[in-house]
Amino acid sequence: MNDFAGMEELMQDFLTEGSDLLSDVDSKLIDLEKQPHDRDLLNIIFRGFHTIKGGAGFLNATELVTLCHLTENLFDNLRNGELVLNADLMDAIFAATGEVRLMFDSLAQYKQPEAAPPHLIAALQAALNGEAVGVSAVAPQAVMLEPAADSSPSSSVSSPDWPVLYQALTATSPVQVQVESGVPELTSSPAAIQTPLPSTGGAEASSPELRSFGRRGNDIPGNKAPAAGRRENEVGKDNTIRVDTDRLDQVLNLSGEIGLTKNRLTHLRTDILQGRSDAAILLALDESVSQLDMLVVNLQNAVMKTRMQPIGRLFNKYPRLARDLARQLGKDVELVLSGEETEIDKTMIEDLNDPLVHLIRNAVDHGVESSEQRAAVGKAAKSLVHLSAQQEGDHIIIRITDDGKGMRPEVIRNKAIEKGIISAESASSLDDEQSLSLILLPGFSTKEEISSVSGRGVGMDVVKTNIEKLSGTIGITSVPGKGSEFTISLPLTLAILPVLLLRLCNQSFAVPLSLVREILSVPPNDLQQIAGKATMVVRSEVLPVLSLAGLIGWDRLKNLK
């Protein structure tokens, strides 16, 4: 079904511009919360909603226009001094931006977006009327839940709250709930069936149970779930890319030079076919081939640069994520960004989203303490989580650092033994760095109870798996009482893979250059036998020497012959 037939191209342009505007609004809202009286920020956010409203109006997306108009009026009152910004009002504004993003998802499928939830509209209207926005009316956006694949029924906490789910689906108050063999039986009295759900200040209550369990809003027509109930990658990856025109001009110029060189080679070929093979012709041929080789390499590099995007486009959405989770957990946390201008391949930026979401969420949930706990040990009430990126050689290094309680290797080891992930014998041979890496194994969690945020032991396994898919590595360091740091190392791009070529028995092999640390000459006299195995001393370190033939099994094939 296409509600926007004939307007597909306009829709794509609107979504591209609107998504950028909305991301910028989210970023500015985080800054506004720290500087609530900054008129410049208020004006920027006002213009963002005004622009989105104008585009939506042109496309006749009436529900999006309605929501943006209410929020726009709210910011008009804020910048005119008629309203004062507070935490509850910020929650309502953040809920509005989350709903706008959900409406963008519907527009991307060429469907008219459904109306915003009544409790959100009521909260915005109450704010416009100068009334207090109830805390229960618009709760902070819940943070992405653990993957559904891990929803195990073994824990009562991970099972749906059947009374709440029944109440949400039927608008009744269940009187009795019986669960036999995992199948719930719900009964209700006639009086309960006729009793509507209570409302708070004209707005429907949004309970944590409804946000954590049950079907999502897009599963049931007319039932709108909070924005937090969806994962961003369910909508699909963006296949568009913005490229600086200077980079395109460079590609065009190189293409023209390659065309000229190609014409020169064609002319030389004609001369050679006509019997001219003097030194001047051969010299001109050599120069043309060398020039073509240089131009092709430059063109490759220029095309690669068109795929590179600032990682800040990914980083800018995480302060909102950290803020919402901190509000949900009752913590005071600030996410500090640096190195946003660092460029990385766009396809890798998309695949980095899930790992970084899990790491930031774990830093806020597991890593940092509450304000009371920090005050008890002499720390500042506000926790700081740093997310940074920088280029080191042909790799991108991303670091997530917190100033929380840190991790104790011995506690990690004991927890892994308790969960049966490793044996006590294996644990005793692990050093501190290896012990910390145990948190990356499937099923590992230090949480005693499962919550809507963590405790299933899936998140860090997702991080490791996704990083390895990108040919990257992850390292962990931690100082108890001081904090932890996760370091992700990634290649600049996966589109072109530099390799080291080597030859064995007239067969060529290619080894990824990122895996080559050093090339050394191995004189036979330097080899020593230890326990029947070849070794070599390199800078006072004894290293094993393995033959490529042995690694790929050619020795066995030779013996079979």
Side-chain angles (χ1 to χ4, degrees), residues 345-400:
D345 195 303
K346 180 181 183 295
T347 56
M348 297 179 69
I349 286 181
E350 294 171 347
D351 292 332
L352 271 175
N353 181 57
D354 273 357
L356 292 183
V357 164
H358 284 295
L359 289 173
I360 293 170
R361 185 176 59 181
N362 278 9
V364 177
D365 184 27
H366 295 274
V368 301
E369 314 94 329
S370 65
S371 299
E372 295 77 12
Q373 292 171 330
R374 293 176 66 84
V377 294
K379 291 183 177 181
K382 175 176 286 189
S383 306
L384 295 179
V385 178
H386 291 263
L387 175 61
S388 64
Q390 66 184 81
Q391 182 175 343
E392 295 183 4
D394 59 348
H395 280 70
I396 296 294
I397 306 299
I398 300 174
R399 292 185 174 90
I400 300 93

Side-chain angles (χ1 to χ4, degrees), residues 125 382 520:
Q125 289 176 338
K382 175 176 286 189
L520 297 173

Side-chain angles (χ1 to χ4, degrees), residues 71-289:
T71 314
E72 177 189 21
N73 289 344
L74 193 63
F75 275 95
D76 192 34
N77 290 352
L78 283 169
R79 65 180 185 170
N80 292 333
E82 298 175 17
L83 287 177
V84 178
L85 199 63
N86 56 44
D88 292 337
L89 184 54
M90 283 299 299
D91 287 340
I93 295 169
F94 275 120
T97 62
E99 190 62 32
V100 170
R101 198 172 295 279
L102 280 181
M103 290 183 176
F104 281 179
D105 295 344
S106 297
L107 292 174
Q109 301 172 21
Y110 304 112
K111 296 179 182 178
Q112 279 285 359
E114 298 178 7
H119 67 266
L120 175 56
I121 298 296
L124 294 175
Q125 289 176 338
L128 285 170
N129 295 331
E131 302 171 6
V133 179
V135 177
S136 61
V138 183
Q141 296 290 302
V143 184
M144 297 179 190
L145 308 179
E146 299 286 356
D150 187 62
S151 53
S152 169
S154 61
S155 172
S156 60
V157 183
S158 64
S159 301
D161 190 327
W162 292 109
V164 174
L165 182 58
Y166 179 78
Q167 185 176 0
L169 296 177
T170 64
T172 64
S173 300
V175 175
Q176 184 179 6
V177 179
Q178 297 176 349
V179 179
E180 296 180 3
S181 304
V183 180
E185 179 183 342
L186 304 175
T187 61
S188 59
S189 65
I193 296 177
Q194 297 174 2
T195 304
L197 286 175
S199 60
T200 304
E204 297 175 5
S206 177
S207 66
E209 292 84 0
L210 286 177
R211 291 196 304 273
S212 302
F213 301 115
R215 300 172 68 90
R216 291 179 177 168
N218 59 352
D219 292 335
I220 305 173
N223 182 24
K224 295 294 291 179
R230 295 177 62 120
R231 293 177 64 88
E232 292 185 7
N233 57 7
E234 291 177 359
V235 181
K237 294 184 178 180
D238 181 12
N239 293 321
T240 61
I241 186 171
R242 289 192 172 186
V243 182
D244 191 322
T245 54
D246 290 341
R247 293 185 175 181
L248 290 178
D249 289 341
Q250 185 182 8
V251 172
L252 184 61
N253 292 336
L254 287 169
S255 300
E257 292 184 31
I258 288 176
L260 293 175
T261 306
K262 174 248 183 187
N263 292 338
R264 176 61 176 158
L265 287 171
T266 301
H267 181 70
L268 290 171
R269 174 179 176 272
T270 302
D271 289 343
I272 292 173
L273 290 176
Q274 291 176 353
R276 293 185 58 188
S277 57
D278 53 84
I281 289 292
L282 295 178
L283 179 60
L285 178 62
D286 183 62
E287 290 176 348
S288 297
V289 170

Side-chain angles (χ1 to χ4, degrees), residues 6 22 70 135 137-138 173 239 244 262 279 335 338 340 344 348 369 374 386 393 420 433 450 464 498 514 526 530 550:
L22 193 59
L70 280 173
V135 177
V138 183
S173 300
N239 293 321
D244 191 322
K262 174 248 183 187
L335 179 64
S338 61
E340 300 99 311
I344 190 171
M348 297 179 69
E369 314 94 329
R374 293 176 66 84
H386 291 263
E433 184 178 351
I450 298 175
K464 180 183 178 184
S514 60
D526 290 351
I530 298 180

